[in-house]
mmCIF file of all heavy atoms in Angstrom:
data_model
loop_
_atom_site.group_PDB
_atom_site.id
_atom_site.type_symbol
_atom_site.label_atom_id
_atom_site.label_comp_id
_atom_site.label_asym_id
_atom_site.label_seq_id
_atom_site.Cartn_x
_atom_site.Cartn_y
_atom_site.Cartn_z
ATOM 1 N N TYR A 1 98.681 107.077 79.601
ATOM 2 C CA TYR A 1 98.777 105.650 80.014
ATOM 3 C C TYR A 1 100.171 105.141 79.896
ATOM 4 O O TYR A 1 100.685 104.489 80.814
ATOM 5 C CB TYR A 1 97.844 104.823 79.127
ATOM 6 C CG TYR A 1 97.868 103.327 79.478
ATOM 7 C CD1 TYR A 1 96.966 102.822 80.390
ATOM 8 C CD2 TYR A 1 98.824 102.484 78.897
ATOM 9 C CE1 TYR A 1 97.015 101.457 80.749
ATOM 10 C CE2 TYR A 1 98.875 101.142 79.230
ATOM 11 C CZ TYR A 1 97.985 100.639 80.170
ATOM 12 O OH TYR A 1 98.048 99.329 80.523
ATOM 13 N N ALA A 2 100.846 105.416 78.814
ATOM 14 C CA ALA A 2 102.198 104.900 78.624
ATOM 15 C C ALA A 2 103.157 105.436 79.649
ATOM 16 O O ALA A 2 103.995 104.703 80.230
ATOM 17 C CB ALA A 2 102.694 105.316 77.207
ATOM 18 N N GLY A 3 103.058 106.744 79.981
ATOM 19 C CA GLY A 3 103.933 107.308 80.998
ATOM 20 C C GLY A 3 103.683 106.712 82.359
ATOM 21 O O GLY A 3 104.632 106.400 83.093
ATOM 22 N N ALA A 4 102.405 106.559 82.735
ATOM 23 C CA ALA A 4 102.093 105.986 84.041
ATOM 24 C C ALA A 4 102.553 104.537 84.161
ATOM 25 O O ALA A 4 103.023 104.082 85.184
ATOM 26 C CB ALA A 4 100.600 106.110 84.313
ATOM 27 N N PHE A 5 102.388 103.779 83.045
ATOM 28 C CA PHE A 5 102.802 102.378 83.070
ATOM 29 C C PHE A 5 104.308 102.263 83.290
ATOM 30 O O PHE A 5 104.767 101.458 84.078
ATOM 31 C CB PHE A 5 102.434 101.711 81.746
ATOM 32 C CG PHE A 5 102.583 100.210 81.749
ATOM 33 C CD1 PHE A 5 101.488 99.387 82.004
ATOM 34 C CD2 PHE A 5 103.814 99.618 81.503
ATOM 35 C CE1 PHE A 5 101.623 98.019 82.030
ATOM 36 C CE2 PHE A 5 103.955 98.242 81.535
ATOM 37 C CZ PHE A 5 102.868 97.424 81.795
ATOM 38 N N ALA A 6 105.065 103.099 82.606
ATOM 39 C CA ALA A 6 106.515 103.053 82.740
ATOM 40 C C ALA A 6 106.956 103.397 84.184
ATOM 41 O O ALA A 6 107.839 102.780 84.753
ATOM 42 C CB ALA A 6 107.179 104.024 81.764
ATOM 43 N N ILE A 7 106.297 104.414 84.754
ATOM 44 C CA ILE A 7 106.620 104.811 86.147
ATOM 45 C C ILE A 7 106.256 103.699 87.106
ATOM 46 O O ILE A 7 107.052 103.370 88.007
ATOM 47 C CB ILE A 7 105.905 106.116 86.490
ATOM 48 C CG1 ILE A 7 106.448 107.261 85.638
ATOM 49 C CG2 ILE A 7 106.037 106.451 87.967
ATOM 50 C CD1 ILE A 7 105.663 108.571 85.741
ATOM 51 N N GLY A 8 105.070 103.157 86.958
ATOM 52 C CA GLY A 8 104.638 102.082 87.873
ATOM 53 C C GLY A 8 105.486 100.856 87.803
ATOM 54 O O GLY A 8 105.814 100.246 88.839
ATOM 55 N N TYR A 9 105.880 100.495 86.600
ATOM 56 C CA TYR A 9 106.690 99.282 86.438
ATOM 57 C C TYR A 9 108.062 99.507 87.055
ATOM 58 O O TYR A 9 108.643 98.596 87.701
ATOM 59 C CB TYR A 9 106.814 98.894 84.977
ATOM 60 C CG TYR A 9 107.433 97.531 84.737
ATOM 61 C CD1 TYR A 9 106.664 96.365 84.964
ATOM 62 C CD2 TYR A 9 108.743 97.376 84.353
ATOM 63 C CE1 TYR A 9 107.187 95.131 84.802
ATOM 64 C CE2 TYR A 9 109.309 96.132 84.192
ATOM 65 C CZ TYR A 9 108.525 95.004 84.396
ATOM 66 O OH TYR A 9 109.080 93.759 84.234
ATOM 67 N N THR A 10 108.607 100.688 86.865
ATOM 68 C CA THR A 10 109.923 101.028 87.441
ATOM 69 C C THR A 10 109.863 100.940 88.968
ATOM 70 O O THR A 10 110.747 100.356 89.624
ATOM 71 C CB THR A 10 110.402 102.409 86.996
ATOM 72 O OG1 THR A 10 110.493 102.428 85.575
ATOM 73 C CG2 THR A 10 111.720 102.758 87.618
ATOM 74 N N ALA A 11 108.839 101.540 89.542
ATOM 75 C CA ALA A 11 108.655 101.488 91.009
ATOM 76 C C ALA A 11 108.511 100.042 91.495
ATOM 77 O O ALA A 11 109.103 99.681 92.518
ATOM 78 C CB ALA A 11 107.468 102.312 91.426
ATOM 79 N N GLY A 12 107.788 99.247 90.724
ATOM 80 C CA GLY A 12 107.576 97.847 91.127
ATOM 81 C C GLY A 12 108.850 97.045 91.073
ATOM 82 O O GLY A 12 109.077 96.165 91.938
ATOM 83 N N ARG A 13 109.703 97.311 90.127
ATOM 84 C CA ARG A 13 110.935 96.554 90.004
ATOM 85 C C ARG A 13 111.947 96.937 91.080
ATOM 86 O O ARG A 13 112.835 96.137 91.405
ATOM 87 C CB ARG A 13 111.562 96.796 88.614
ATOM 88 C CG ARG A 13 110.705 96.244 87.470
ATOM 89 C CD ARG A 13 110.504 94.731 87.551
ATOM 90 N NE ARG A 13 111.763 94.002 87.318
ATOM 91 C CZ ARG A 13 111.867 92.675 87.411
ATOM 92 N NH1 ARG A 13 110.815 91.961 87.791
ATOM 93 N NH2 ARG A 13 113.006 92.113 87.219
ATOM 94 N N VAL A 14 111.846 98.149 91.616
ATOM 95 C CA VAL A 14 112.760 98.557 92.706
ATOM 96 C C VAL A 14 112.485 97.691 93.942
ATOM 97 O O VAL A 14 113.437 97.352 94.669
ATOM 98 C CB VAL A 14 112.571 100.039 93.023
ATOM 99 C CG1 VAL A 14 113.366 100.411 94.276
ATOM 100 C CG2 VAL A 14 113.037 100.868 91.863
ATOM 101 N N GLY A 15 111.238 97.386 94.222
ATOM 102 C CA GLY A 15 110.917 96.558 95.367
ATOM 103 C C GLY A 15 109.478 96.797 95.815
ATOM 104 O O GLY A 15 108.914 97.845 95.543
ATOM 105 N N ASP A 16 108.918 95.806 96.535
ATOM 106 C CA ASP A 16 107.539 95.902 96.920
ATOM 107 C C ASP A 16 107.280 97.080 97.882
ATOM 108 O O ASP A 16 106.231 97.731 97.799
ATOM 109 C CB ASP A 16 107.089 94.578 97.567
ATOM 110 C CG ASP A 16 106.923 93.485 96.549
ATOM 111 O OD1 ASP A 16 106.769 93.787 95.355
ATOM 112 O OD2 ASP A 16 106.937 92.303 96.955
ATOM 113 N N LYS A 17 108.167 97.313 98.825
ATOM 114 C CA LYS A 17 107.969 98.416 99.779
ATOM 115 C C LYS A 17 107.951 99.758 99.070
ATOM 116 O O LYS A 17 107.178 100.649 99.413
ATOM 117 C CB LYS A 17 109.007 98.355 100.884
ATOM 118 C CG LYS A 17 108.921 97.221 101.846
ATOM 119 C CD LYS A 17 109.895 97.312 102.964
ATOM 120 C CE LYS A 17 109.748 96.153 103.924
ATOM 121 N NZ LYS A 17 108.424 96.155 104.642
ATOM 122 N N VAL A 18 108.820 99.931 98.089
ATOM 123 C CA VAL A 18 108.835 101.154 97.279
ATOM 124 C C VAL A 18 107.574 101.232 96.420
ATOM 125 O O VAL A 18 106.953 102.308 96.342
ATOM 126 C CB VAL A 18 110.090 101.234 96.413
ATOM 127 C CG1 VAL A 18 109.997 102.415 95.428
ATOM 128 C CG2 VAL A 18 111.332 101.342 97.269
ATOM 129 N N SER A 19 107.181 100.126 95.836
ATOM 130 C CA SER A 19 105.988 100.095 95.005
ATOM 131 C C SER A 19 104.756 100.462 95.820
ATOM 132 O O SER A 19 103.911 101.281 95.382
ATOM 133 C CB SER A 19 105.802 98.716 94.379
ATOM 134 O OG SER A 19 104.728 98.665 93.485
ATOM 135 N N LEU A 20 104.656 99.924 97.040
ATOM 136 C CA LEU A 20 103.517 100.224 97.914
ATOM 137 C C LEU A 20 103.607 101.682 98.389
ATOM 138 O O LEU A 20 102.580 102.348 98.518
ATOM 139 C CB LEU A 20 103.498 99.264 99.101
ATOM 140 C CG LEU A 20 103.050 97.850 98.791
ATOM 141 C CD1 LEU A 20 103.423 96.912 99.950
ATOM 142 C CD2 LEU A 20 101.543 97.821 98.538
ATOM 143 N N GLY A 21 104.820 102.145 98.632
ATOM 144 C CA GLY A 21 104.977 103.567 99.023
ATOM 145 C C GLY A 21 104.560 104.493 97.900
ATOM 146 O O GLY A 21 103.946 105.532 98.162
ATOM 147 N N PHE A 22 104.887 104.113 96.699
ATOM 148 C CA PHE A 22 104.492 104.921 95.522
ATOM 149 C C PHE A 22 102.974 104.929 95.392
ATOM 150 O O PHE A 22 102.349 105.966 95.128
ATOM 151 C CB PHE A 22 105.127 104.356 94.261
ATOM 152 C CG PHE A 22 104.832 105.153 93.025
ATOM 153 C CD1 PHE A 22 105.522 106.313 92.765
ATOM 154 C CD2 PHE A 22 103.853 104.746 92.137
ATOM 155 C CE1 PHE A 22 105.251 107.046 91.597
ATOM 156 C CE2 PHE A 22 103.584 105.462 91.006
ATOM 157 C CZ PHE A 22 104.269 106.621 90.737
ATOM 158 N N MET A 23 102.373 103.786 95.613
ATOM 159 C CA MET A 23 100.903 103.704 95.567
ATOM 160 C C MET A 23 100.266 104.569 96.663
ATOM 161 O O MET A 23 99.331 105.325 96.404
ATOM 162 C CB MET A 23 100.472 102.227 95.804
ATOM 163 C CG MET A 23 98.999 101.994 95.926
ATOM 164 S SD MET A 23 98.652 100.223 96.228
ATOM 165 C CE MET A 23 96.853 100.264 96.446
ATOM 166 N N ALA A 24 100.837 104.516 97.888
ATOM 167 C CA ALA A 24 100.282 105.302 98.977
ATOM 168 C C ALA A 24 100.385 106.786 98.720
ATOM 169 O O ALA A 24 99.456 107.555 98.945
ATOM 170 C CB ALA A 24 100.987 104.919 100.274
ATOM 171 N N GLU A 25 101.566 107.227 98.232
ATOM 172 C CA GLU A 25 101.768 108.638 97.929
ATOM 173 C C GLU A 25 100.896 109.146 96.812
ATOM 174 O O GLU A 25 100.341 110.229 96.817
ATOM 175 C CB GLU A 25 103.222 108.899 97.647
ATOM 176 C CG GLU A 25 103.588 110.351 97.297
ATOM 177 C CD GLU A 25 103.217 111.339 98.401
ATOM 178 O OE1 GLU A 25 103.173 110.919 99.572
ATOM 179 O OE2 GLU A 25 103.045 112.529 98.112
ATOM 180 N N THR A 26 100.751 108.243 95.758
ATOM 181 C CA THR A 26 99.887 108.619 94.625
ATOM 182 C C THR A 26 98.462 108.814 95.113
ATOM 183 O O THR A 26 97.821 109.813 94.785
ATOM 184 C CB THR A 26 99.931 107.513 93.562
ATOM 185 O OG1 THR A 26 101.245 107.403 93.041
ATOM 186 C CG2 THR A 26 98.957 107.811 92.442
ATOM 187 N N GLU A 27 97.961 107.881 95.923
ATOM 188 C CA GLU A 27 96.585 107.987 96.403
ATOM 189 C C GLU A 27 96.411 109.176 97.330
ATOM 190 O O GLU A 27 95.371 109.810 97.359
ATOM 191 C CB GLU A 27 96.171 106.691 97.098
ATOM 192 C CG GLU A 27 96.205 105.430 96.220
ATOM 193 C CD GLU A 27 95.145 105.450 95.122
ATOM 194 O OE1 GLU A 27 94.658 106.554 94.764
ATOM 195 O OE2 GLU A 27 94.820 104.383 94.627
ATOM 196 N N ARG A 28 97.436 109.480 98.120
ATOM 197 C CA ARG A 28 97.360 110.684 99.008
ATOM 198 C C ARG A 28 97.205 111.939 98.192
ATOM 199 O O ARG A 28 96.382 112.804 98.511
ATOM 200 C CB ARG A 28 98.606 110.744 99.894
ATOM 201 C CG ARG A 28 98.538 111.865 100.963
ATOM 202 C CD ARG A 28 99.831 111.982 101.694
ATOM 203 N NE ARG A 28 100.875 112.511 100.862
ATOM 204 C CZ ARG A 28 101.039 113.807 100.565
ATOM 205 N NH1 ARG A 28 100.205 114.700 101.072
ATOM 206 N NH2 ARG A 28 102.037 114.212 99.812
ATOM 207 N N GLN A 29 97.984 112.039 97.107
ATOM 208 C CA GLN A 29 97.904 113.236 96.273
ATOM 209 C C GLN A 29 96.573 113.290 95.505
ATOM 210 O O GLN A 29 95.996 114.362 95.350
ATOM 211 C CB GLN A 29 99.090 113.271 95.316
ATOM 212 C CG GLN A 29 100.429 113.477 95.989
ATOM 213 C CD GLN A 29 101.576 113.714 95.052
ATOM 214 O OE1 GLN A 29 101.373 114.020 93.905
ATOM 215 N NE2 GLN A 29 102.806 113.556 95.548
#
């Protein structure tokens, strides 16, 4: 949980398009 939270928050702070891209790639995998 801690690792995933840190990764998700970092992606979110980079920007919404990156955050959504991270979500899309995660769900694809």
Side-chain angles (χ1 to χ4, degrees):
Y1 180 91
F5 190 96
I7 293 171
Y9 191 76
T10 300
R13 295 299 292 175
V14 172
D16 288 340
K17 290 185 179 296
V18 172
S19 186
L20 286 165
F22 183 79
M23 174 182 176
E25 178 60 24
T26 298
E27 298 293 21
R28 187 186 70 80
Q29 293 189 18

